[in-house]
Amino acid sequence: MIDDHHPLGDPLGPLSPDFAAQFVRDDRRPPCQLYLISPLDVRGAFPDRLRRALAAGPVAAFQFRVKGVDQHEAARLADPLQRICADADVAFIVNDSVALAKRLGADGVHLGQSDGDAREARAVLGPSVQIGVTCHASRHLAMEAGEAGADYVAFGAFYPTMTKVVEHQADPVLLSWWSTLFELPCVAIGGITPANAAPLVAAGADFLAVSGAVWQGDEAAAIAAFAAVLA
């Protein structure tokens, strides 16, 4: 494994900015879609907020991301949210935990670089479950994830974010490069709002992963605003 904390963010080195200028999205790729990530606290009124959000505009997937609770409690918190997603025909993705994804019969699991290998997750979860892998700003990690059988790769952070500490700053040209060379979908993540999303869509993102921009205000208004950008 090549060190992901390379000073350039990628052991392969920087991409030419000209790559983005030449990028034209392949017509065979579906339009960019919204990938909604939960806040860390999903208790109380959150299920109602999720229902409102999913009713406000198209959402392709919802990632259940909680920290610091045991698997039993996580499963209890996930249950109503998984049912809301099923009713809305939205994929339910579990963050970090292959074991929890298996327990819930989730539609997918999202793995950080320290959460295990996509091959191992596939062996546990089977062929139909969607497996995503965080690749930060690294083309090398993304190609490794693809070779390991991931269903999508996630790049970021593209913008400053309050949701987590940003160690890897990604440039939109990374999305253009990936989308030109590989069919595997790519997700853009990190500080994305309706106001700054358009360049990432233009650069080639297949999905925009969003959290704070939705949950730190009126979730229905935020989803509607993203829908307008993606329309």
Side-chain angles (χ1 to χ4, degrees), residues 92-133:
F92 186 85
I93 312 292
V94 169
N95 180 256
D96 290 352
S97 175
V98 172
L100 181 60
K102 184 172 178 63
R103 175 172 175 167
L104 295 174
D107 298 305
V109 67
H110 184 87
L111 304 175
Q113 283 295 316
S114 60
D115 297 324
D117 183 81
R119 289 184 189 88
E120 297 164 1
R122 181 72 66 207
V124 173
L125 298 174
S128 61
V129 170
Q130 297 290 302
I131 297 173
V133 177

Short mmCIF file of all heavy atoms in Angstrom, two decimals, residues 92-133:
data_model
loop_
_atom_site.label_atom_id
_atom_site.label_comp_id
_atom_site.label_asym_id
_atom_site.label_seq_id
_atom_site.Cartn_x
_atom_site.Cartn_y
_atom_site.Cartn_z
N PHE A 92 -30.23 2.26 1.07
CA PHE A 92 -29.80 2.47 2.46
C PHE A 92 -28.39 1.91 2.62
O PHE A 92 -28.16 0.71 2.53
CB PHE A 92 -30.77 1.77 3.42
CG PHE A 92 -30.50 2.05 4.88
CD1 PHE A 92 -31.01 3.19 5.48
CD2 PHE A 92 -29.74 1.18 5.65
CE1 PHE A 92 -30.76 3.46 6.83
CE2 PHE A 92 -29.50 1.43 6.99
CZ PHE A 92 -30.01 2.57 7.58
N ILE A 93 -27.43 2.81 2.86
CA ILE A 93 -26.00 2.47 2.93
C ILE A 93 -25.52 2.64 4.37
O ILE A 93 -25.78 3.67 5.00
CB ILE A 93 -25.16 3.37 2.02
CG1 ILE A 93 -25.77 3.47 0.61
CG2 ILE A 93 -23.70 2.92 1.99
CD1 ILE A 93 -25.71 2.22 -0.20
N VAL A 94 -24.80 1.66 4.88
CA VAL A 94 -24.23 1.74 6.23
C VAL A 94 -22.78 2.21 6.15
O VAL A 94 -22.00 1.70 5.34
CB VAL A 94 -24.31 0.37 6.94
CG1 VAL A 94 -23.50 0.36 8.23
CG2 VAL A 94 -25.76 0.00 7.22
N ASN A 95 -22.43 3.18 6.97
CA ASN A 95 -21.06 3.68 7.02
C ASN A 95 -20.18 2.78 7.89
O ASN A 95 -20.59 2.40 9.00
CB ASN A 95 -21.05 5.11 7.56
CG ASN A 95 -19.66 5.70 7.63
OD1 ASN A 95 -19.06 5.80 8.70
ND2 ASN A 95 -19.12 6.08 6.50
N ASP A 96 -19.01 2.45 7.40
CA ASP A 96 -17.93 1.80 8.16
C ASP A 96 -18.09 0.31 8.48
O ASP A 96 -17.12 -0.42 8.45
CB ASP A 96 -17.67 2.51 9.51
CG ASP A 96 -17.04 3.87 9.35
OD1 ASP A 96 -16.66 4.23 8.22
OD2 ASP A 96 -16.94 4.59 10.36
N SER A 97 -19.30 -0.13 8.85
CA SER A 97 -19.43 -1.44 9.46
C SER A 97 -20.05 -2.49 8.54
O SER A 97 -21.25 -2.47 8.25
CB SER A 97 -20.29 -1.35 10.74
OG SER A 97 -20.51 -2.63 11.28
N VAL A 98 -19.22 -3.43 8.11
CA VAL A 98 -19.72 -4.56 7.31
C VAL A 98 -20.66 -5.42 8.14
O VAL A 98 -21.70 -5.89 7.66
CB VAL A 98 -18.53 -5.40 6.78
CG1 VAL A 98 -19.01 -6.68 6.10
CG2 VAL A 98 -17.69 -4.57 5.81
N ALA A 99 -20.33 -5.60 9.41
CA ALA A 99 -21.15 -6.43 10.29
C ALA A 99 -22.55 -5.84 10.45
O ALA A 99 -23.55 -6.57 10.41
CB ALA A 99 -20.47 -6.58 11.66
N LEU A 100 -22.63 -4.52 10.63
CA LEU A 100 -23.94 -3.88 10.78
C LEU A 100 -24.72 -3.93 9.47
O LEU A 100 -25.93 -4.17 9.46
CB LEU A 100 -23.78 -2.43 11.24
CG LEU A 100 -25.08 -1.65 11.45
CD1 LEU A 100 -25.96 -2.30 12.51
CD2 LEU A 100 -24.79 -0.19 11.82
N ALA A 101 -24.03 -3.73 8.35
CA ALA A 101 -24.69 -3.81 7.05
C ALA A 101 -25.30 -5.20 6.85
O ALA A 101 -26.42 -5.33 6.35
CB ALA A 101 -23.70 -3.49 5.93
N LYS A 102 -24.56 -6.23 7.25
CA LYS A 102 -25.07 -7.60 7.12
C LYS A 102 -26.26 -7.83 8.04
O LYS A 102 -27.27 -8.40 7.65
CB LYS A 102 -23.96 -8.60 7.42
CG LYS A 102 -24.39 -10.06 7.21
CD LYS A 102 -23.23 -11.02 7.34
CE LYS A 102 -23.67 -12.47 7.17
NZ LYS A 102 -24.21 -12.73 5.81
N ARG A 103 -26.14 -7.37 9.27
CA ARG A 103 -27.22 -7.53 10.25
C ARG A 103 -28.52 -6.88 9.77
O ARG A 103 -29.61 -7.44 9.93
CB ARG A 103 -26.78 -6.93 11.58
CG ARG A 103 -27.87 -6.92 12.65
CD ARG A 103 -27.31 -6.49 13.99
NE ARG A 103 -28.36 -6.36 15.00
CZ ARG A 103 -28.12 -6.25 16.30
NH1 ARG A 103 -26.87 -6.26 16.75
NH2 ARG A 103 -29.12 -6.12 17.15
N LEU A 104 -28.40 -5.70 9.15
CA LEU A 104 -29.57 -4.96 8.71
C LEU A 104 -30.09 -5.41 7.35
O LEU A 104 -31.20 -5.03 6.97
CB LEU A 104 -29.25 -3.47 8.65
CG LEU A 104 -28.91 -2.76 9.96
CD1 LEU A 104 -28.47 -1.33 9.69
CD2 LEU A 104 -30.10 -2.79 10.92
N GLY A 105 -29.28 -6.17 6.62
CA GLY A 105 -29.64 -6.46 5.23
C GLY A 105 -29.65 -5.17 4.42
O GLY A 105 -30.52 -4.96 3.56
N ALA A 106 -28.66 -4.30 4.69
CA ALA A 106 -28.60 -2.99 4.02
C ALA A 106 -28.32 -3.15 2.53
O ALA A 106 -27.82 -4.18 2.08
CB ALA A 106 -27.52 -2.14 4.68
N ASP A 107 -28.63 -2.10 1.79
CA ASP A 107 -28.37 -2.10 0.34
C ASP A 107 -26.89 -1.94 0.04
O ASP A 107 -26.44 -2.26 -1.07
CB ASP A 107 -29.15 -0.96 -0.34
CG ASP A 107 -30.65 -1.13 -0.16
OD1 ASP A 107 -31.16 -2.21 -0.53
OD2 ASP A 107 -31.29 -0.20 0.35
N GLY A 108 -26.14 -1.39 1.01
CA GLY A 108 -24.73 -1.18 0.75
C GLY A 108 -23.96 -0.85 2.00
O GLY A 108 -24.52 -0.67 3.09
N VAL A 109 -22.63 -0.76 1.85
CA VAL A 109 -21.75 -0.35 2.93
C VAL A 109 -20.71 0.60 2.34
O VAL A 109 -20.29 0.44 1.19
CB VAL A 109 -21.06 -1.57 3.60
CG1 VAL A 109 -20.09 -2.27 2.65
CG2 VAL A 109 -20.35 -1.17 4.88
N HIS A 110 -20.34 1.61 3.13
CA HIS A 110 -19.29 2.54 2.69
C HIS A 110 -18.09 2.36 3.60
O HIS A 110 -18.19 2.49 4.82
CB HIS A 110 -19.76 3.99 2.74
CG HIS A 110 -18.74 4.92 2.21
ND1 HIS A 110 -18.64 5.22 0.86
CD2 HIS A 110 -17.70 5.58 2.81
CE1 HIS A 110 -17.62 6.02 0.67
NE2 HIS A 110 -17.02 6.25 1.84
N LEU A 111 -16.94 2.08 3.00
CA LEU A 111 -15.72 1.78 3.74
C LEU A 111 -14.72 2.92 3.66
O LEU A 111 -14.40 3.40 2.57
CB LEU A 111 -15.06 0.51 3.17
CG LEU A 111 -15.91 -0.76 3.12
CD1 LEU A 111 -15.14 -1.87 2.43
CD2 LEU A 111 -16.32 -1.18 4.53
N GLY A 112 -14.22 3.35 4.82
CA GLY A 112 -13.06 4.22 4.85
C GLY A 112 -11.81 3.40 4.61
O GLY A 112 -11.86 2.16 4.54
N GLN A 113 -10.67 4.05 4.50
CA GLN A 113 -9.44 3.33 4.21
C GLN A 113 -9.03 2.40 5.34
O GLN A 113 -8.28 1.46 5.12
CB GLN A 113 -8.31 4.33 3.90
CG GLN A 113 -8.40 4.91 2.50
CD GLN A 113 -8.20 3.86 1.42
OE1 GLN A 113 -7.31 3.01 1.51
NE2 GLN A 113 -9.04 3.89 0.39
N SER A 114 -9.56 2.62 6.55
CA SER A 114 -9.21 1.75 7.69
C SER A 114 -10.34 0.79 8.05
O SER A 114 -10.29 0.14 9.09
CB SER A 114 -8.87 2.62 8.91
OG SER A 114 -9.97 3.44 9.27
N ASP A 115 -11.35 0.67 7.19
CA ASP A 115 -12.52 -0.14 7.51
C ASP A 115 -12.53 -1.50 6.83
O ASP A 115 -13.55 -2.19 6.82
CB ASP A 115 -13.82 0.61 7.14
CG ASP A 115 -13.98 1.88 7.93
OD1 ASP A 115 -13.60 1.88 9.12
OD2 ASP A 115 -14.48 2.86 7.38
N GLY A 116 -11.42 -1.90 6.25
CA GLY A 116 -11.38 -3.20 5.59
C GLY A 116 -11.38 -3.07 4.08
O GLY A 116 -11.54 -1.99 3.52
N ASP A 117 -11.23 -4.21 3.43
CA ASP A 117 -11.06 -4.29 1.99
C ASP A 117 -12.40 -4.60 1.32
O ASP A 117 -13.23 -5.32 1.88
CB ASP A 117 -10.04 -5.41 1.70
CG ASP A 117 -9.74 -5.53 0.22
OD1 ASP A 117 -8.92 -4.74 -0.28
OD2 ASP A 117 -10.32 -6.41 -0.43
N ALA A 118 -12.60 -4.07 0.12
CA ALA A 118 -13.84 -4.33 -0.61
C ALA A 118 -14.02 -5.82 -0.90
O ALA A 118 -15.14 -6.32 -0.91
CB ALA A 118 -13.85 -3.53 -1.91
N ARG A 119 -12.92 -6.54 -1.13
CA ARG A 119 -13.03 -7.99 -1.39
C ARG A 119 -13.60 -8.71 -0.17
O ARG A 119 -14.44 -9.60 -0.30
CB ARG A 119 -11.66 -8.57 -1.73
CG ARG A 119 -11.10 -8.17 -3.09
CD ARG A 119 -9.79 -8.89 -3.36
NE ARG A 119 -9.15 -8.35 -4.55
CZ ARG A 119 -8.31 -7.32 -4.55
NH1 ARG A 119 -8.02 -6.70 -3.42
NH2 ARG A 119 -7.77 -6.89 -5.67
N GLU A 120 -13.10 -8.34 1.02
CA GLU A 120 -13.57 -8.96 2.25
C GLU A 120 -15.05 -8.64 2.48
O GLU A 120 -15.84 -9.50 2.87
CB GLU A 120 -12.73 -8.48 3.43
CG GLU A 120 -11.26 -8.87 3.34
CD GLU A 120 -10.39 -8.08 4.29
OE1 GLU A 120 -10.92 -7.24 5.05
OE2 GLU A 120 -9.16 -8.29 4.28
N ALA A 121 -15.42 -7.38 2.23
CA ALA A 121 -16.82 -6.98 2.38
C ALA A 121 -17.71 -7.76 1.42
O ALA A 121 -18.80 -8.20 1.78
CB ALA A 121 -16.96 -5.48 2.16
N ARG A 122 -17.24 -7.93 0.20
CA ARG A 122 -18.02 -8.67 -0.80
C ARG A 122 -18.23 -10.12 -0.36
O ARG A 122 -19.32 -10.68 -0.52
CB ARG A 122 -17.28 -8.64 -2.15
CG ARG A 122 -18.01 -9.36 -3.27
CD ARG A 122 -19.24 -8.60 -3.74
NE ARG A 122 -18.88 -7.34 -4.35
CZ ARG A 122 -19.69 -6.27 -4.39
NH1 ARG A 122 -20.89 -6.33 -3.86
NH2 ARG A 122 -19.30 -5.15 -4.97
N ALA A 123 -17.21 -10.72 0.21
CA ALA A 123 -17.31 -12.10 0.66
C ALA A 123 -18.37 -12.25 1.75
O ALA A 123 -19.08 -13.26 1.82
CB ALA A 123 -15.95 -12.60 1.16
N VAL A 124 -18.50 -11.24 2.59
CA VAL A 124 -19.47 -11.28 3.69
C VAL A 124 -20.87 -10.91 3.21
O VAL A 124 -21.87 -11.53 3.61
CB VAL A 124 -19.02 -10.33 4.82
CG1 VAL A 124 -20.10 -10.22 5.90
CG2 VAL A 124 -17.70 -10.79 5.42
N LEU A 125 -20.96 -9.90 2.34
CA LEU A 125 -22.26 -9.30 2.02
C LEU A 125 -22.88 -9.82 0.72
O LEU A 125 -24.07 -9.60 0.49
CB LEU A 125 -22.10 -7.78 1.93
CG LEU A 125 -21.65 -7.09 3.22
CD1 LEU A 125 -21.39 -5.62 2.98
CD2 LEU A 125 -22.68 -7.28 4.32
N GLY A 126 -22.09 -10.45 -0.13
CA GLY A 126 -22.66 -11.02 -1.34
C GLY A 126 -22.58 -10.10 -2.54
O GLY A 126 -22.16 -8.93 -2.44
N PRO A 127 -23.00 -10.60 -3.70
CA PRO A 127 -22.77 -9.89 -4.96
C PRO A 127 -23.66 -8.69 -5.21
O PRO A 127 -23.30 -7.81 -6.00
CB PRO A 127 -23.04 -10.98 -6.01
CG PRO A 127 -24.00 -11.92 -5.34
CD PRO A 127 -23.60 -11.93 -3.89
N SER A 128 -24.81 -8.60 -4.55
CA SER A 128 -25.77 -7.55 -4.91
C SER A 128 -25.64 -6.29 -4.06
O SER A 128 -26.24 -5.26 -4.37
CB SER A 128 -27.20 -8.09 -4.80
OG SER A 128 -27.48 -8.49 -3.48
N VAL A 129 -24.86 -6.35 -2.98
CA VAL A 129 -24.72 -5.19 -2.09
C VAL A 129 -23.74 -4.19 -2.69
O VAL A 129 -22.69 -4.56 -3.22
CB VAL A 129 -24.24 -5.67 -0.70
CG1 VAL A 129 -23.85 -4.49 0.17
CG2 VAL A 129 -25.34 -6.48 -0.03
N GLN A 130 -24.08 -2.92 -2.61
CA GLN A 130 -23.23 -1.84 -3.13
C GLN A 130 -22.11 -1.54 -2.13
O GLN A 130 -22.38 -1.29 -0.95
CB GLN A 130 -24.05 -0.58 -3.37
CG GLN A 130 -25.14 -0.73 -4.41
CD GLN A 130 -24.55 -0.88 -5.80
OE1 GLN A 130 -23.82 -0.02 -6.27
NE2 GLN A 130 -24.86 -1.99 -6.46
N ILE A 131 -20.88 -1.56 -2.61
CA ILE A 131 -19.73 -1.28 -1.75
C ILE A 131 -19.02 -0.04 -2.26
O ILE A 131 -18.60 0.01 -3.42
CB ILE A 131 -18.76 -2.48 -1.73
CG1 ILE A 131 -19.46 -3.71 -1.14
CG2 ILE A 131 -17.50 -2.13 -0.93
CD1 ILE A 131 -18.64 -4.98 -1.23
N GLY A 132 -18.93 0.96 -1.39
CA GLY A 132 -18.22 2.19 -1.73
C GLY A 132 -16.97 2.33 -0.89
O GLY A 132 -16.90 1.82 0.22
N VAL A 133 -15.97 3.03 -1.43
CA VAL A 133 -14.70 3.18 -0.74
C VAL A 133 -14.25 4.64 -0.79
O VAL A 133 -14.24 5.26 -1.85
CB VAL A 133 -13.61 2.28 -1.38
CG1 VAL A 133 -12.25 2.51 -0.70
CG2 VAL A 133 -14.00 0.81 -1.29
#
